[in-house]
Amino acid sequence: MQVLVDADACPAAIKEILFRAAKREEMMVTLVANQFLRTPPSPFVRSIQVPSGFDVADARIVEMVEAGDLVITADIPLAAAVIEMGGRALDPRGSWFTPENIKERLSVRDMMDQLRTAGIETGGPAPFSPRDSKAFAGELDRFLARQRKSPR
């Protein structure tokens, strides 16, 4: 299992949590972004810089993901593609994208996009908070604990 990170918009606090988990679990964490990313020296952490462009990083993640991999992203269409390929997708706020909830989340996303296109002010997500970091860390730890228990 590898962890792939949609890193362009991933909060720094989440990257730090992932860097520590990579070292502790000795698992590969790959950050994919269209900008240079500073990563700690580690055999378990790498970054891939892709060209600028709409969804270029997402496309690269989809190319790389395999069944059983974990992808960290807030991008709902990317999460849907990951789930379709047998991967798992976790939002940086600690919320799982699942086969059971992904269609609803896509529908809500599309509806909000239509409202914005029509000129209706919809607001945005709340600012990222320490509570979000804690929720993410808890979900990641539970996931990794289940991975350790399952036969490889």
Side-chain angles (χ1 to χ4, degrees), residues 112-135:
M112 297 302 280
D113 191 42
Q114 290 174 355
L115 290 172
R116 284 187 294 275
T117 301
I120 298 171
E121 184 68 35
T122 60
F128 191 79
S129 72
R131 173 182 264 166
D132 295 325
S133 289
K134 187 174 181 179

Side-chain angles (χ1 to χ4, degrees), residues 76 103-113 116:
I76 298 168
K103 287 182 182 172
E104 178 184 349
R105 290 179 99 167
L106 282 166
S107 294
V108 169
R109 175 194 171 274
D110 291 345
M111 181 186 70
M112 297 302 280
D113 191 42
R116 284 187 294 275

Side-chain angles (χ1 to χ4, degrees), residues 21-102:
K23 181 179 179 182
R24 182 181 69 240
E25 301 290 328
E26 296 186 349
M27 67 180 182
M28 182 55 84
V29 172
T30 303
L31 287 80
V32 181
N34 61 22
Q35 59 189 335
F36 173 77
L37 296 171
R38 192 175 314 274
T39 59
S42 169
F44 304 109
V45 177
R46 70 180 178 143
S47 66
I48 297 174
Q49 185 175 356
V50 297
S52 293
F54 185 70
D55 288 341
V56 176
D58 296 355
R60 182 71 176 115
I61 290 169
V62 169
E63 287 173 10
M64 296 174 63
V65 73
E66 296 179 7
D69 287 348
L70 174 61
V71 174
I72 310 303
T73 186
D75 185 289
I76 298 168
L78 173 57
V82 167
I83 289 167
E84 189 174 300
M85 298 185 73
R88 303 285 312 266
L90 178 61
D91 182 284
R93 294 174 187 263
S95 174
W96 287 98
F97 296 99
T98 67
E100 295 77 29
N101 72 18
I102 195 66

